[in-house]
Amino acid sequence: MSKLTFNLKNYNPPTIGVIAGTPVDTQMGVDFILKNGFRAIGVPTASSPEEQNRLQFLNSDSLTQKVLGIINDFEEKNIFRTMIYCNSLSAAIDVRYIKDACQNSKIVTPLDVYQRLASKYNKIAIWAANGQCLSSIERIFYEVNPSIDIIGISMLPVIKAIESGNDPRSIILEFNLVSLAAKEFASDGLILACTHLPYLQAELLKEVKIPIIDPAVEMLKILV
C-alpha cells in the first residue's frame, strides 16, 4: 500500500474509525492508517466474504443500520472520523442516509474518491469484489465522464484467495491478473476497487506499467 507523508511534529493525531466487510480487510484498513501515523480502531460488518456478499445483496437495509450503529459507537468513544474502507460495503448501504444521521462525524468512502478521479482518465480498468460494487463505481464514472471506456471485473475468487493468505505472486499467476490489468485493454490506469486488492499491489507493480490506484490514499487525505 502507498504511504502518505504528513508533518506530524507537535500534532496529536486523531483516532479514525474503520468499517469494512470482514476482519481481514478491516485490519488492512487499520494497518494502513497506523502506517501513516494515525490511530485507528476497526469494526467489521461480517465474518467472511460469503457472509459479506449475502448481507450486501439481501440485507442492505439492515446493513445500513449496522454501519450507523458502529458509527454511533465510535462517536460515544469521541471518534468523529470514519473511513468506510470497503468498496462493496459502500455500494450496498445508504451512505447519504448515514451521513445525514451522523452530522457530527466526518465520513468518507471510496465512492467519494471515484467522483474526483473520473474526469482524469479516458480508459480505465476497475477490479471490484462483486457485480453490485462494480455497477455502482461504473455509474459514478459514467455520470462524471460519459465518454470514458471501462473494463470492469468482479473478482470474488481472488478476494477469497487473499483472505486465505495465499502468496501474492501465486494469486497473480493463478488468475492471470497481469493480462487483466493491462495487456488486453491497454488502460490508462487500474483501480483497486476492493480493499483486499492492495495486498497484490507491490507484485503487480513489477509487471504492470500503468498507474495502480488505491483509493485509501485519497480517503485518508480527505479525513485528515
Side-chain angles (χ1 to χ4, degrees):
M1 287 188 185
S2 302
K3 186 175 187 300
L4 282 68
T5 301
F6 292 98
N7 182 5
L8 298 178
K9 185 177 180 181
N10 299 321
Y11 176 62
N12 184 28
T15 299
I16 296 171
V18 178
I19 305 174
T22 72
V24 172
D25 65 331
T26 302
Q27 188 60 49
M28 288 177 173
V30 169
D31 291 343
F32 170 75
I33 290 169
L34 294 175
K35 178 182 176 182
N36 282 284
F38 299 89
R39 295 187 290 265
I41 180 173
V43 179
T45 57
S47 60
S48 68
E50 292 85 358
E51 182 188 8
Q52 180 182 2
N53 252 24
R54 186 167 61 253
L55 287 170
Q56 290 174 5
F57 280 102
L58 302 178
N59 296 283
S60 59
D61 290 342
S62 61
L63 193 55
T64 295
Q65 292 302 319
K66 187 171 187 177
V67 171
L68 179 60
I70 293 169
I71 296 173
N72 288 336
D73 289 342
F74 285 159
E75 291 182 345
E76 290 180 4
K77 297 179 175 70
N78 292 317
I79 298 170
F80 295 98
R81 290 176 172 86
T82 294
M83 181 184 289
I84 301 179
Y85 187 63
C86 176
N87 288 259
S88 58
L89 175 62
S90 302
I93 60 176
D94 188 339
V95 175
R96 176 49 54 198
Y97 170 79
I98 290 171
K99 288 184 176 181
D100 288 344
C102 301
Q103 295 189 15
N104 290 328
S105 287
K106 190 168 189 177
I107 301 167
V108 66
T109 82
L111 306 185
D112 298 316
V113 174
Y114 300 141
Q115 290 176 342
R116 303 181 179 201
L117 285 178
S119 61
K120 296 182 179 181
Y121 295 95
N122 296 315
K123 186 181 286 190
I124 197 78
I126 301 173
W127 290 357
N130 58 45
Q132 181 186 52
C133 177
L134 180 59
S135 175
S136 295
I137 296 170
E138 285 182 331
R139 185 179 300 111
I140 290 170
F141 273 82
Y142 284 128
E143 285 175 349
V144 176
N145 184 0
S147 64
I148 194 170
D149 287 329
I150 296 174
I151 181 169
I153 304 168
S154 59
M155 317 189 85
L156 190 59
V158 174
I159 306 311
K160 290 180 180 179
I162 294 171
E163 286 262 333
S164 297
N166 295 2
D167 176 71
R169 184 65 184 167
S170 69
I171 295 173
I172 290 168
L173 292 173
E174 178 182 358
F175 294 96
N176 195 22
L177 296 184
V178 171
S179 179
L180 290 179
K183 290 183 179 179
E184 300 298 329
F185 187 61
S187 58
D188 301 324
L190 166 63
I191 294 179
L192 302 180
C194 174
T195 41
H196 288 76
L197 292 172
Y199 178 77
L200 308 175
Q201 187 169 359
E203 286 297 322
L204 280 171
L205 284 169
K206 296 176 182 178
E207 304 288 342
V208 175
K209 304 307 179 185
I210 59 174
I212 297 179
I213 301 139
D214 176 2
V217 175
E218 293 302 319
M219 290 165 68
L220 187 55
K221 289 180 180 178
I222 292 170
L223 277 180
V224 301

